Amino acid sequence: AVQVKGQKVIDSFQLDNLVVREIRADLVDLSHIELAKKTAVNGLIGFEVFSDFEILLDYSSSLIMLIRVNAKGIPIEPIPTWEYQPKGSFGVEVAGHIAFVKLKFGKKNKWFGLDTGAEQNLLNHLAGKRFLKDNFEVRKRVKLRGASRESIEVLTGILMNAQLDTFTFRPMATILTNLDEINATYRTNLDGIVGYEFFSQQIMSINIKRKRLTFYEPGPKP
């Protein structure tokens, strides 16, 4: 677990032309992340900053687009179609600050939380022997460490055959681990978490208020 050393109210926070004022932040030690990434990390941005936006992720262009939405989740200023054109929209469920989507593996359905900050996917070690045999290829053992300093030894491998509607995902680097703590925190029963390995395969946006995940393709440039 992450050891919180206190809280601080930040007078203002600016990301490009987005300014957020009077935001409460937990104080934690992130030095181990800085050492692992070999870069200075001043903080982690979460739900409280982005709750009033639809978030579009375009990893191929190293771009995050924030689309401000109203109380119903309708974009106040829609994405220009010459930039991005939608090619599919899918429903997601929401519990607290986490959205999760149902992925299909053959005849099996599994629920995965969406975490844009995760380097690799996580898969519950209780997914089932038959499911693991058909859809997960073990590669090696590694030490897993998140926002806390604690680390655990886990199996890492490749998750295969994941589908969302008619879209099939390429095999994704995935860690097999115990998700009991995550499920207890969010009061969910997730089979896994998907991160970069998932989001980097498509340009996509998450709209928490409308409970939608939308895929895009680049639009015809003017």
Side-chain angles (χ1 to χ4, degrees):
V2 178
Q3 183 178 1
V4 178
K5 298 183 177 180
Q7 286 191 332
K8 183 177 179 63
V9 176
I10 308 301
D11 293 335
S12 64
F13 169 85
Q14 184 168 354
L15 177 63
D16 198 357
N17 61 354
L18 167 65
V19 178
V20 182
R21 302 187 186 281
E22 299 296 318
I23 186 169
R24 188 176 301 277
D26 292 331
L27 299 176
V28 298
D29 183 4
L30 299 177
S31 60
H32 59 289
I33 296 179
E34 294 181 312
L35 289 173
K37 299 301 179 185
K38 295 184 172 71
T39 188
V41 178
N42 294 318
L44 303 176
I45 308 171
F47 176 85
E48 191 172 350
V49 172
F50 298 132
S51 59
D52 291 328
F53 296 88
E54 179 173 343
I55 305 173
L56 182 143
L57 302 165
D58 182 354
Y59 279 97
S60 62
S61 300
S62 300
L63 176 72
I64 296 177
M65 181 183 292
L66 302 179
I67 305 101
R68 189 177 291 277
V69 298
N70 62 20
K72 294 183 178 180
I74 306 299
I76 295 173
E77 187 175 339
I79 301 171
T81 55
W82 59 264
E83 270 194 286
Y84 296 103
Q85 293 185 336
K87 65 175 186 178
S89 186
F90 316 95
V92 299
E93 298 294 326
V94 177
H97 294 171
I98 189 169
F100 46 99
V101 65
K102 182 166 61 177
L103 298 181
K104 186 176 181 180
F105 297 81
K107 295 182 179 181
K108 292 284 187 180
N109 293 321
K110 297 288 184 181
W111 286 98
F112 283 79
L114 304 176
D115 183 355
T116 58
E119 287 187 60
Q120 294 191 66
N121 300 339
L122 303 179
L123 177 64
N124 198 331
H125 70 299
L126 298 177
K129 291 182 179 180
R130 183 67 188 183
F131 175 84
L132 294 175
K133 180 179 178 181
D134 293 341
N135 302 290
F136 185 74
E137 179 182 321
V138 176
R139 292 291 175 88
K140 60 181 179 179
R141 291 183 179 273
V142 299
K143 287 191 178 295
L144 174 64
R145 183 166 57 188
S148 71
R149 286 182 172 273
E150 298 176 6
S151 63
I152 57 174
E153 190 173 72
V154 296
L155 290 173
T156 183
I158 302 296
L159 182 65
M160 304 170 290
N161 308 317
Q163 287 186 295
L164 180 58
D165 200 296
T166 59
F167 182 82
T168 300
F169 288 86
R170 298 188 301 274
M172 298 178 281
T174 300
I175 291 171
L176 190 65
T177 188
N178 187 327
L179 294 184
D180 287 350
E181 186 175 339
I182 291 176
N183 280 320
T185 299
Y186 292 107
R187 298 182 181 180
T188 56
N189 189 27
L190 297 177
D191 299 295
I193 303 287
V194 287
Y196 170 80
E197 292 284 318
F198 175 87
F199 290 105
S200 63
Q201 295 196 31
Q202 282 285 309
I203 302 169
M204 61 181 80
S205 72
I206 305 172
N207 189 319
I208 294 291
K209 292 184 177 180
R210 295 186 72 186
K211 298 182 179 181
R212 303 300 296 178
L213 177 69
T214 303
F215 288 2
Y216 295 87
E217 60 187 0
K221 301 298 181 182

